[in-house]
mmCIF file of all heavy atoms in Angstrom:
data_model
loop_
_atom_site.group_PDB
_atom_site.id
_atom_site.type_symbol
_atom_site.label_atom_id
_atom_site.label_comp_id
_atom_site.label_asym_id
_atom_site.label_seq_id
_atom_site.Cartn_x
_atom_site.Cartn_y
_atom_site.Cartn_z
ATOM 1 N N ALA Z 265 114.614 94.701 119.342
ATOM 2 C CA ALA Z 265 115.957 94.869 118.963
ATOM 3 C C ALA Z 265 116.564 93.763 118.173
ATOM 4 O O ALA Z 265 117.600 93.892 117.585
ATOM 5 C CB ALA Z 265 116.808 95.105 120.288
ATOM 6 N N ARG Z 266 115.951 92.613 118.224
ATOM 7 C CA ARG Z 266 116.543 91.390 117.489
ATOM 8 C C ARG Z 266 115.863 91.150 116.118
ATOM 9 O O ARG Z 266 116.158 90.192 115.425
ATOM 10 C CB ARG Z 266 116.421 90.215 118.373
ATOM 11 C CG ARG Z 266 117.085 90.402 119.797
ATOM 12 C CD ARG Z 266 117.182 89.139 120.576
ATOM 13 N NE ARG Z 266 117.862 88.130 119.840
ATOM 14 C CZ ARG Z 266 117.899 86.834 120.137
ATOM 15 N NH1 ARG Z 266 117.135 86.440 121.244
ATOM 16 N NH2 ARG Z 266 118.576 85.959 119.469
ATOM 17 N N SER Z 267 114.887 92.052 115.759
ATOM 18 C CA SER Z 267 114.303 91.923 114.474
ATOM 19 C C SER Z 267 114.906 92.831 113.441
ATOM 20 O O SER Z 267 115.515 93.864 113.886
ATOM 21 C CB SER Z 267 112.799 92.246 114.643
ATOM 22 O OG SER Z 267 112.205 92.448 113.237
ATOM 23 N N ILE Z 268 115.015 92.540 112.211
ATOM 24 C CA ILE Z 268 115.585 93.461 111.247
ATOM 25 C C ILE Z 268 114.383 94.372 110.655
ATOM 26 O O ILE Z 268 114.610 95.366 110.071
ATOM 27 C CB ILE Z 268 116.305 92.818 109.931
ATOM 28 C CG1 ILE Z 268 115.352 92.016 109.105
ATOM 29 C CG2 ILE Z 268 117.389 91.937 110.459
ATOM 30 C CD1 ILE Z 268 115.928 91.789 107.694
ATOM 31 N N ALA Z 269 113.151 93.914 110.790
ATOM 32 C CA ALA Z 269 111.945 94.675 110.298
ATOM 33 C C ALA Z 269 111.229 95.290 111.459
ATOM 34 O O ALA Z 269 111.331 94.824 112.586
ATOM 35 C CB ALA Z 269 111.054 93.635 109.603
ATOM 36 N N PRO Z 270 110.451 96.312 111.167
ATOM 37 C CA PRO Z 270 109.576 96.878 112.196
ATOM 38 C C PRO Z 270 108.661 95.768 112.746
ATOM 39 O O PRO Z 270 108.183 95.005 112.032
ATOM 40 C CB PRO Z 270 108.768 97.968 111.438
ATOM 41 C CG PRO Z 270 109.654 98.390 110.312
ATOM 42 C CD PRO Z 270 110.344 97.195 109.892
ATOM 43 N N VAL Z 271 108.424 95.843 114.107
ATOM 44 C CA VAL Z 271 107.668 94.792 114.806
ATOM 45 C C VAL Z 271 106.326 95.398 115.213
ATOM 46 O O VAL Z 271 106.394 96.290 116.015
ATOM 47 C CB VAL Z 271 108.425 94.145 115.908
ATOM 48 C CG1 VAL Z 271 107.717 92.926 116.397
ATOM 49 C CG2 VAL Z 271 109.849 93.770 115.626
ATOM 50 N N ASP Z 272 105.206 94.832 114.740
ATOM 51 C CA ASP Z 272 103.914 95.168 115.247
ATOM 52 C C ASP Z 272 103.715 94.498 116.608
ATOM 53 O O ASP Z 272 104.121 93.397 116.740
ATOM 54 C CB ASP Z 272 102.923 94.709 114.270
ATOM 55 C CG ASP Z 272 101.467 95.284 114.675
ATOM 56 O OD1 ASP Z 272 101.023 95.075 115.864
ATOM 57 O OD2 ASP Z 272 100.859 95.939 113.803
ATOM 58 N N TRP Z 273 103.261 95.310 117.572
ATOM 59 C CA TRP Z 273 103.134 94.817 118.965
ATOM 60 C C TRP Z 273 102.172 93.634 119.042
ATOM 61 O O TRP Z 273 102.239 92.920 120.076
ATOM 62 C CB TRP Z 273 102.760 95.924 119.915
ATOM 63 C CG TRP Z 273 103.796 96.965 120.113
ATOM 64 C CD1 TRP Z 273 105.036 97.039 119.424
ATOM 65 C CD2 TRP Z 273 103.699 98.218 120.829
ATOM 66 N NE1 TRP Z 273 105.727 98.200 119.819
ATOM 67 C CE2 TRP Z 273 104.966 98.861 120.630
ATOM 68 C CE3 TRP Z 273 102.794 98.807 121.605
ATOM 69 C CZ2 TRP Z 273 105.208 100.064 121.326
ATOM 70 C CZ3 TRP Z 273 102.955 100.063 122.255
ATOM 71 C CH2 TRP Z 273 104.176 100.701 122.099
ATOM 72 N N LYS Z 274 101.423 93.484 118.069
ATOM 73 C CA LYS Z 274 100.543 92.256 118.051
ATOM 74 C C LYS Z 274 101.341 90.968 118.215
ATOM 75 O O LYS Z 274 100.913 89.988 118.754
ATOM 76 C CB LYS Z 274 99.817 92.138 116.689
ATOM 77 C CG LYS Z 274 98.408 92.813 116.617
ATOM 78 C CD LYS Z 274 97.588 92.246 115.504
ATOM 79 C CE LYS Z 274 98.014 92.883 114.199
ATOM 80 N NZ LYS Z 274 97.713 94.316 114.029
ATOM 81 N N ARG Z 275 102.621 91.057 117.700
ATOM 82 C CA ARG Z 275 103.434 89.847 117.795
ATOM 83 C C ARG Z 275 103.842 89.502 119.266
ATOM 84 O O ARG Z 275 104.315 88.432 119.519
ATOM 85 C CB ARG Z 275 104.758 90.144 116.995
ATOM 86 C CG ARG Z 275 105.216 88.946 116.112
ATOM 87 C CD ARG Z 275 106.405 89.268 115.246
ATOM 88 N NE ARG Z 275 107.213 88.016 115.040
ATOM 89 C CZ ARG Z 275 108.309 87.973 114.343
ATOM 90 N NH1 ARG Z 275 108.772 89.081 113.738
ATOM 91 N NH2 ARG Z 275 108.974 86.866 114.278
ATOM 92 N N PHE Z 276 103.638 90.464 120.197
ATOM 93 C CA PHE Z 276 104.009 90.162 121.558
ATOM 94 C C PHE Z 276 102.761 89.882 122.361
ATOM 95 O O PHE Z 276 102.873 89.740 123.577
ATOM 96 C CB PHE Z 276 104.602 91.440 122.226
ATOM 97 C CG PHE Z 276 105.782 91.905 121.444
ATOM 98 C CD1 PHE Z 276 105.906 93.214 120.985
ATOM 99 C CD2 PHE Z 276 106.857 90.927 121.218
ATOM 100 C CE1 PHE Z 276 107.078 93.610 120.273
ATOM 101 C CE2 PHE Z 276 107.928 91.427 120.516
ATOM 102 C CZ PHE Z 276 108.072 92.713 120.007
ATOM 103 N N SER Z 277 101.588 89.757 121.766
ATOM 104 C CA SER Z 277 100.348 89.683 122.523
ATOM 105 C C SER Z 277 100.357 88.545 123.507
ATOM 106 O O SER Z 277 99.741 88.619 124.576
ATOM 107 C CB SER Z 277 99.100 89.610 121.579
ATOM 108 O OG SER Z 277 99.347 88.547 120.642
ATOM 109 N N SER Z 278 101.004 87.348 123.081
ATOM 110 C CA SER Z 278 101.005 86.243 124.034
ATOM 111 C C SER Z 278 102.234 86.270 124.970
ATOM 112 O O SER Z 278 102.470 85.298 125.670
ATOM 113 C CB SER Z 278 100.913 84.981 123.233
ATOM 114 O OG SER Z 278 102.131 84.886 122.438
ATOM 115 N N HIS Z 279 102.927 87.364 124.965
ATOM 116 C CA HIS Z 279 104.138 87.437 125.783
ATOM 117 C C HIS Z 279 103.889 87.922 127.129
ATOM 118 O O HIS Z 279 103.121 88.883 127.288
ATOM 119 C CB HIS Z 279 105.110 88.325 125.046
ATOM 120 C CG HIS Z 279 106.589 88.270 125.573
ATOM 121 N ND1 HIS Z 279 106.970 88.880 126.690
ATOM 122 C CD2 HIS Z 279 107.618 87.703 124.896
ATOM 123 C CE1 HIS Z 279 108.216 88.643 126.845
ATOM 124 N NE2 HIS Z 279 108.706 87.934 125.838
ATOM 125 N N GLU Z 280 104.394 87.232 128.144
ATOM 126 C CA GLU Z 280 104.077 87.570 129.564
ATOM 127 C C GLU Z 280 104.423 89.033 129.894
ATOM 128 O O GLU Z 280 103.685 89.698 130.481
ATOM 129 C CB GLU Z 280 104.932 86.655 130.395
ATOM 130 C CG GLU Z 280 104.545 86.551 131.848
ATOM 131 C CD GLU Z 280 105.569 85.769 132.628
ATOM 132 O OE1 GLU Z 280 106.415 85.077 131.961
ATOM 133 O OE2 GLU Z 280 105.555 85.809 133.806
ATOM 134 N N GLY Z 281 105.627 89.497 129.491
ATOM 135 C CA GLY Z 281 106.054 90.844 129.707
ATOM 136 C C GLY Z 281 105.141 91.889 129.135
ATOM 137 O O GLY Z 281 104.894 92.985 129.750
ATOM 138 N N PHE Z 282 104.554 91.551 128.068
ATOM 139 C CA PHE Z 282 103.671 92.535 127.348
ATOM 140 C C PHE Z 282 102.401 92.851 128.195
ATOM 141 O O PHE Z 282 102.087 93.999 128.423
ATOM 142 C CB PHE Z 282 103.201 91.972 126.024
ATOM 143 C CG PHE Z 282 102.545 92.988 125.143
ATOM 144 C CD1 PHE Z 282 103.293 93.972 124.434
ATOM 145 C CD2 PHE Z 282 101.128 92.998 124.931
ATOM 146 C CE1 PHE Z 282 102.679 94.960 123.696
ATOM 147 C CE2 PHE Z 282 100.543 93.978 124.169
ATOM 148 C CZ PHE Z 282 101.318 94.917 123.545
ATOM 149 N N ASP Z 283 101.915 91.884 128.867
ATOM 150 C CA ASP Z 283 100.640 92.029 129.686
ATOM 151 C C ASP Z 283 101.135 92.857 130.926
ATOM 152 O O ASP Z 283 100.412 93.672 131.327
ATOM 153 C CB ASP Z 283 100.133 90.661 130.179
ATOM 154 C CG ASP Z 283 99.193 90.151 129.083
ATOM 155 O OD1 ASP Z 283 98.718 90.912 128.191
ATOM 156 O OD2 ASP Z 283 98.839 88.966 129.250
ATOM 157 N N LYS Z 284 102.264 92.501 131.423
ATOM 158 C CA LYS Z 284 102.749 93.171 132.673
ATOM 159 C C LYS Z 284 102.888 94.633 132.515
ATOM 160 O O LYS Z 284 102.718 95.445 133.432
ATOM 161 C CB LYS Z 284 104.031 92.514 133.145
ATOM 162 C CG LYS Z 284 103.813 91.244 133.837
ATOM 163 C CD LYS Z 284 105.166 90.821 134.671
ATOM 164 C CE LYS Z 284 105.031 89.498 135.300
ATOM 165 N NZ LYS Z 284 106.117 88.692 135.042
#
Side-chain angles (χ1 to χ4, degrees):
Chain Z
R266 305 188 59 194
S267 170
I268 68 160
V271 189
D272 191 303
W273 293 356
K274 268 198 283 292
R275 222 175 150 184
F276 304 126
S277 53
S278 61
H279 196 283
E280 192 188 351
F282 191 76
D283 276 349
K284 281 198 185 131

